[in-house]
């Protein structure tokens, strides 16, 4: 009898370690350190005017800030960061905001936001930073093409993404910091573009952020895909009026993550609890095809098709039906 508390403590510690490494290790592409210097960005006011002229002015200011950060990275000797920033500052790229400090923050628009009737906000997970930004950009481009001319995609890198192998990827500290900024973006998009349908598309650790931001968000739908859990027991706990969807590809390693949430001394809660595709979570589950953890936005994939349909307000295709 005396050894039962010890066994319970050992079990909790083992589960915590298992969650940490199950979430962190398989993610490809670690976020780069935040030590690369960058100048402070130009101070931009909140997004209030979504006219083409006002947006073009913001895009121009952000482009200049990205180029300044690129020069700083080059002077620092970080050629990978400098090359990534040169690509981000290319003519035609559209950033609502950019800050190259502390690992980098950016909000990029793909498509014509000023006339958009459907807006999909991509919220990425672990391992996405300025050096690995191309993956997020490619997914945004593929999604916008699927949405069509009346749709715009906002690629939101509004937080310091957790490193590949770190406790941060199995705890919700980064999500708690990021959620207010995400909610604020959605509120401003809704105010500047009244009548537009806004959908949060939340991948992997991004689903933890979306869950924290869900309450009172003006988003029409929240889509959790490739999710390790959200930190919430069920969809009702998100306290949102948005329609909640969940999906997972058949080849996604995230299915093997233990869906537990345990308290660890000096760390806090580790793990994210209920699997969003489980019946007891209560989300509407959509067919995400057979792809892996990084395949949800691949062109011509079932997952991309259904994410675009949900963002457009249409029913997703059912499994086995085209």
């Amino acid at each position: 009898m005396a050894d039962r508390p010890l066994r319970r403590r050992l079990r909790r510690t083992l589960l915590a370690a298992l969650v940490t490494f199950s979430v962190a290790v398989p993610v490809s592409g670690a976020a780069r350190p935040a030590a690369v210097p960058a100048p402070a960005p130009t101070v931009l006011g909140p997004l209030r005017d979504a006219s083409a002229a006002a947006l073009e002015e913001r895009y121009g200011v952000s482009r200049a800030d990205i180029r300044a950060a690129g020069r700083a990275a080059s002077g620092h000797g970080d050629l990978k960061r400098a090359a990534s920033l040169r690509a981000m500052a290319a003519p035609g790229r559209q950033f609502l905001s950019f800050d190259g400090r502390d690992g980098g923050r950016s909000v990029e628009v793909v498509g014509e936001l000023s006339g958009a009737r459907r807006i999909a906000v991509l919220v990425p997970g672990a391992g996405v930073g300025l050096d690995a930004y191309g993956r997020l950009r490619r997914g945004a481009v593929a999604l916008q093409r699927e949405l069509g001319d009346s749709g715009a995609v906002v690629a939101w890198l509004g937080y310091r993404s957790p490193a590949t192998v770190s406790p941060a990827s199995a705890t919700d500290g980064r999500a708690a910091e990021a959620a207010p900024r995400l909610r604020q973006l959605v509120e401003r998009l809704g105010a500047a573009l009244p009548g537009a349908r806004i959908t949060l598309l939340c991948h992997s650790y991004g689903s933890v952020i979306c869950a924290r931001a869900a309450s009172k968000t003006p988003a029409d739908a929240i889509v959790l895909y490739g999710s390790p859990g959200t930190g919430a027991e069920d969809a009702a706990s998100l306290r949102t009026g948005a329609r909640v969807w969940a999906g997972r590809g058949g080849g996604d390693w995230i299915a093997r993550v233990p869906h537990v949430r345990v308290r660890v001394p000096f760390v806090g809660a580790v793990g994210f609890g209920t699997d969003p595709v489980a019946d007891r979570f209560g989300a509407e589950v959509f067919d995400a095809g057979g792809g892996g953890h990084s395949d949800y936005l691949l062109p011509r994939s079932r997952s991309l098709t259904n994410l675009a349909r949900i963002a457009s307000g249409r029913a997703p295709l059912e499994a086995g039906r085209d």
Side-chain angles (χ1 to χ4, degrees):
M1 294 292 291
D3 65 339
R4 284 185 179 177
L6 176 61
R7 287 203 302 268
R8 284 197 294 268
R9 287 197 298 271
L10 289 173
R11 179 176 178 273
R12 288 162 66 89
T13 302
L14 178 61
L15 282 172
L18 184 59
V19 169
T20 298
F21 286 99
S22 293
V23 171
V25 172
V27 179
S28 60
R32 295 273 292 194
V36 182
T42 304
V43 177
L44 290 169
L47 176 67
R48 292 192 177 95
D49 185 353
S51 67
L55 289 173
E56 190 54 45
E57 183 177 352
R58 291 183 74 96
Y59 298 155
V61 171
S62 294
R63 189 175 300 117
D65 287 340
I66 295 170
R67 287 172 176 161
R71 290 191 294 270
S74 182
H76 184 68
D78 194 322
L79 301 183
K80 183 175 182 180
R81 173 70 58 83
S84 178
L85 292 172
R86 280 197 300 273
M88 293 171 75
R93 298 288 289 270
Q94 305 176 143
F95 284 84
L96 289 173
S97 62
F98 174 84
D99 186 344
R101 299 171 299 175
D102 188 32
R105 312 282 191 277
S106 65
V107 182
E108 184 176 14
V109 175
V110 179
E112 295 300 324
L113 185 60
S114 61
R117 297 196 303 273
R118 298 165 293 175
I119 302 170
V121 180
L122 287 182
V123 182
V128 180
L130 296 183
D131 299 320
Y133 187 81
R135 290 185 293 143
L136 181 59
R137 162 75 179 181
R138 287 190 293 274
V141 169
L143 179 61
Q144 195 280 324
R145 288 174 177 165
E146 195 80 13
L147 287 173
D149 292 341
S150 64
V153 176
V154 177
W156 184 81
L157 185 59
Y159 77 113
R160 187 156 58 94
S161 176
T164 306
V165 181
S166 72
S169 63
T171 58
D172 62 5
R174 298 282 176 89
E177 295 173 3
R181 293 193 288 271
L182 177 60
R183 186 185 297 114
Q184 186 178 69
L185 172 70
V186 177
E187 289 171 351
R188 289 174 176 171
L189 286 171
L193 293 156
R197 175 183 172 82
I198 301 176
T199 302
L200 291 177
L201 300 181
C202 317
H203 178 239
S204 194
Y205 189 85
S207 64
V208 185
I209 299 172
C210 288
R212 294 291 295 250
S215 178
K216 300 180 181 178
T217 179
D220 296 279
I222 298 173
V223 188
L224 314 168
Y225 60 103
S227 174
T230 65
E233 182 178 348
D234 51 34
S237 301
L238 300 181
R239 294 182 291 114
T240 180
R243 196 169 179 180
V244 180
W245 294 86
R248 184 170 63 222
D252 192 340
W253 56 261
I254 207 80
R256 299 191 294 276
V257 170
H259 293 285
V260 296
R261 186 169 175 82
V262 295
R263 292 279 174 183
V264 178
F266 311 111
V267 175
V270 176
F272 303 113
T274 311
D275 185 349
V277 301
D279 288 343
R280 67 189 181 95
F281 187 79
E284 298 183 69
V285 177
F286 68 94
D287 177 24
H293 192 65
S294 300
D295 298 337
Y296 289 92
L297 298 176
L298 289 180
R300 297 180 296 279
S301 65
R302 173 54 67 98
S303 52
L304 177 64
T305 295
N306 276 342
L307 288 170
R309 289 179 70 91
I310 293 170
S312 299
R314 295 183 291 164
L317 298 175
E318 297 177 8
R321 298 185 62 182
D322 295 324

